[in-house]
Amino acid sequence: MTEPKPTEFIQTPSQTVGPFYGFALPYERGPELVPGRHPHAIRLHGTVTDGAGDPVPDAILELWQADETGAISREQGALDRDGFTFTGFGRAAVDQAGHFTFTTVKPGSVGGGAPYIVVTVFARGLIHHLFTRAYFPEDAEAHRRDAVLGAVPPARRATLVCVADGHPGGTPSYRFDVRLQGADETVFLDFDA
Amino acid sequence: MTMKDHTSQSEINDEMRAIEAEARARVDDGGAPELHPRRNYPPYRSSILRHPTHELVRVDPEEVELFSPAFGHTDVNVLESDLTIQHRGEPLGERMTVSGRVLDGEGRPVRRQLIEIWQANAGGRYVHKRDQHPAPLDPNFTGVGRVITGENGEYSFTTIKPGPYPWRNHLNAWRPAHIHFSLFGTAFTQRLITQMYFPGDPLFALDPIYQSITDPAARARLVGTYDHDLSVPEWSLGYNWDIVLTGPKATWMESEEAHD
Ligand SMILES: [Fe+3]
């Protein structure tokens, strides 16, 4: 039995990030969870589009993930970019074409599950942020056992899996497009926390 | 950028009142009041094509989601909580402090987590290249601040009161004065971006972003309280604003273990 939650601590409502975060939220090398020269660096990129299929030029995304071994960083200084410490957090504003690019490493499995990166989307017009997950296409076997993918209607699961799209400059690249609305709308998650 | 919309304020008001009446009827029928804004809130025109039409998929958070970035004092300089000392001179406007605590859903302090704020200057102008409002920039004010919460979840910013500003949602649309807040909890699921407003603003009833929260009690949680005891004689006016994040579920699971 859990005790009833005290009613006086009720959540503060969300509001949109608005259009004018550009001078406040992006920070130096925020999109680089690892430097591009890291031997295991990957590119995670994509385009945010709206219900008309048009790019959203004023979205900002955050990544949060485990490291290559599946460990979650507890190192203080999550915004620091010292070139060595992996803090697992990154932030990237999209460009005028709605496109974002992160440099990171592929996370290891946490507790035996399928590797994934938590992706959070904020935008003007989006009054409450959206959570999703980016899984990797080469882990199809592990995806069959994944509880979150299992909770998603099969026809929509592909929206949570990146597409491998080459090795520009020798770096493996994964595309993860975010469709806020429409026929191939990305699956967004409610963690009921 | 945003297309100019010629809908009148009174048409927007009618749309907003209709949605609120429908939400109130649901509560009267025994439904829970909506704690958060609706992602689909047509009076806020930009939400129309930017909200998911599918229900969010409810899942249990896993370990990654139950942790959050570890922020520390290397991330933030202590001077960043004072937005009035970032330039050579004093910014124009009413100097004020905003102080409060960040708590979780059980009232426990959210310690050592990052708060970022950004805001317009006293004339309602942002230091953002796409802000077209013809109010003057203030060479002594950028409008960006950051702080790490203390051991009791406490925070305090020194700044100036932002001005209201026009936007293009409809004809004669003005945002009530507000400060944007970005917060992290101890679990990533507690992530929150919101806006703090000021008591008694005449623009509240007219603003589709504020009104996208259909429950009046929930809306009121975004309004800071003027606290005369926080005002400093001949220096600044004091506002108090406490912020409550969700969960965290991680801690509920811990406390539930004892009962299993
Ligand atoms: Fe604003």
Side-chain angles (χ1 to χ4, degrees):
Chain A
M1 284 284 292
T2 30
E3 283 162 32
K5 238 172 101 179
T7 49
E8 60 266 39
F9 301 110
I10 304 174
Q11 286 172 43
T12 303
S14 169
Q15 292 274 263
T16 178
V17 73
F20 298 136
Y21 54 78
F23 67 107
L25 293 180
Y27 60 96
E28 203 180 340
R29 290 187 287 150
E32 297 174 29
L33 286 80
V34 299
R37 60 180 155 71
H38 186 286
H40 300 150
I42 63 168
R43 173 173 80 156
L44 183 81
H45 73 119
T47 300
V48 182
T49 48
D50 68 15
D54 292 329
V56 172
D58 39 21
I60 182 162
L61 286 81
E62 290 177 351
L63 299 191
W64 171 236
Q65 65 169 94
D67 70 11
E68 287 182 273
T69 70
I72 297 162
S73 171
R74 307 313 303 143
E75 296 272 357
Q76 286 205 354
L79 303 176
D80 284 355
R81 293 294 186 255
D82 66 9
F84 300 97
T85 310
F86 183 78
T87 69
F89 178 75
R91 183 184 278 165
V94 298
D95 63 20
Q96 285 297 307
H99 188 254
F100 63 89
T101 305
F102 289 95
T103 310
T104 185
V105 289
K106 181 178 171 181
S109 164
V110 180
Y116 66 89
I117 295 176
V118 178
V119 179
T120 312
V121 185
F122 304 90
R124 178 179 68 82
L126 184 59
I127 313 177
H128 193 175
H129 63 262
L130 291 164
F131 287 122
T132 186
R133 283 182 177 188
Y135 289 86
F136 293 85
E138 60 272 18
D139 302 321
E141 182 58 40
H143 294 174
R144 282 191 270 279
R145 292 177 273 114
D146 187 88
V148 168
L149 289 173
V152 173
R156 302 189 65 210
R157 276 177 208 158
T159 69
L160 297 181
V161 183
C162 303
V163 175
D165 70 338
H167 295 73
T171 302
S173 176
Y174 293 92
R175 200 179 77 239
F176 185 74
D177 291 327
V178 177
R179 290 169 294 267
L180 295 175
Q181 192 185 87
D184 292 327
E185 185 175 303
T186 299
V187 169
F188 298 105
L189 303 172
D190 179 358
F191 290 107
D192 190 31
Chain B
M1 279 305 289
T2 328
M3 292 286 291
K4 211 163 184 151
D5 188 308
H6 292 281
T7 312
S8 69
Q9 180 72 56
S10 68
E11 288 169 89
I12 293 285
N13 291 351
D14 290 345
E15 292 178 33
M16 296 193 294
R17 296 297 90 81
I19 294 167
E20 187 172 343
E22 175 260 321
R24 195 184 315 117
R26 279 191 202 206
V27 173
D28 291 345
D29 283 348
E34 297 168 44
L35 294 178
H36 280 286
R38 295 186 174 187
R39 289 186 180 84
N40 176 20
Y41 191 73
Y44 177 24
R45 296 296 191 237
S46 303
S47 79
I48 295 173
L49 287 172
R50 293 185 172 190
H51 72 272
T53 55
H54 289 270
E55 288 259 335
L56 304 195
V57 176
R58 289 182 83 129
V59 292
D60 285 327
E62 292 177 80
E63 204 178 338
V64 179
E65 283 103 2
L66 293 175
F67 280 95
S68 197
F71 296 105
H73 292 286
T74 61
D75 287 309
V76 176
N77 185 303
V78 289
L79 298 178
E80 290 182 68
S81 65
D82 188 342
L83 288 75
T84 68
I85 57 167
Q86 297 172 353
H87 300 274
R88 271 165 194 264
E90 293 279 344
L92 293 168
E94 296 175 38
R95 191 185 297 105
M96 52 170 256
T97 56
V98 186
S99 314
R101 295 175 71 203
V102 185
L103 305 170
D104 71 14
E106 296 186 344
R108 290 168 304 196
V110 174
R111 303 186 170 100
R112 294 183 295 279
Q113 289 295 333
L114 177 68
I115 306 180
E116 297 160 282
I117 65 168
W118 67 102
Q119 63 168 94
N121 68 22
R125 177 81 186 265
Y126 283 96
V127 181
H128 184 292
K129 58 183 184 297
R130 286 190 226 154
D131 185 356
Q132 302 292 310
H133 180 33
L137 286 167
D138 181 344
N140 292 316
F141 190 71
T142 304
V144 175
R146 303 193 302 168
V147 79
I148 301 284
T149 57
E151 290 304 308
N152 295 309
E154 73 275 19
Y155 75 88
S156 186
F157 287 103
T158 301
T159 183
I160 53 100
K161 190 174 178 191
Y165 59 84
W167 60 310
R168 292 181 175 185
N169 188 70
H170 56 276
L171 199 59
N172 209 13
W174 289 80
R175 294 297 331 279
H178 59 275
I179 299 177
H180 294 267
F181 272 70
S182 162
L183 301 113
F184 291 81
T186 53
F188 208 79
T189 52
Q190 292 174 289
R191 187 82 178 86
L192 178 70
I193 287 186
T194 188
Q195 303 179 20
M196 176 208 145
Y197 298 89
F198 294 88
D201 197 310
L203 295 168
F204 283 155
L206 310 177
D207 177 43
I209 293 180
Y210 183 69
Q211 296 292 327
S212 66
I213 305 159
T214 59
D215 175 30
R219 290 200 288 271
R221 288 180 200 118
L222 292 183
V223 183
T225 307
Y226 173 69
D227 184 341
H228 201 62
D229 291 334
L230 293 175
S231 294
V232 179
E234 291 165 56
W235 184 249
S236 61
L237 294 173
Y239 289 86
N240 179 262
W241 190 48
D242 291 339
I243 301 148
V244 181
L245 307 179
T246 70
K249 196 159 185 172
T251 339
W252 295 353
M253 281 159 53
E254 271 168 29
S255 58
E256 277 169 21
E257 272 169 22
H259 302 280
D260 279 344

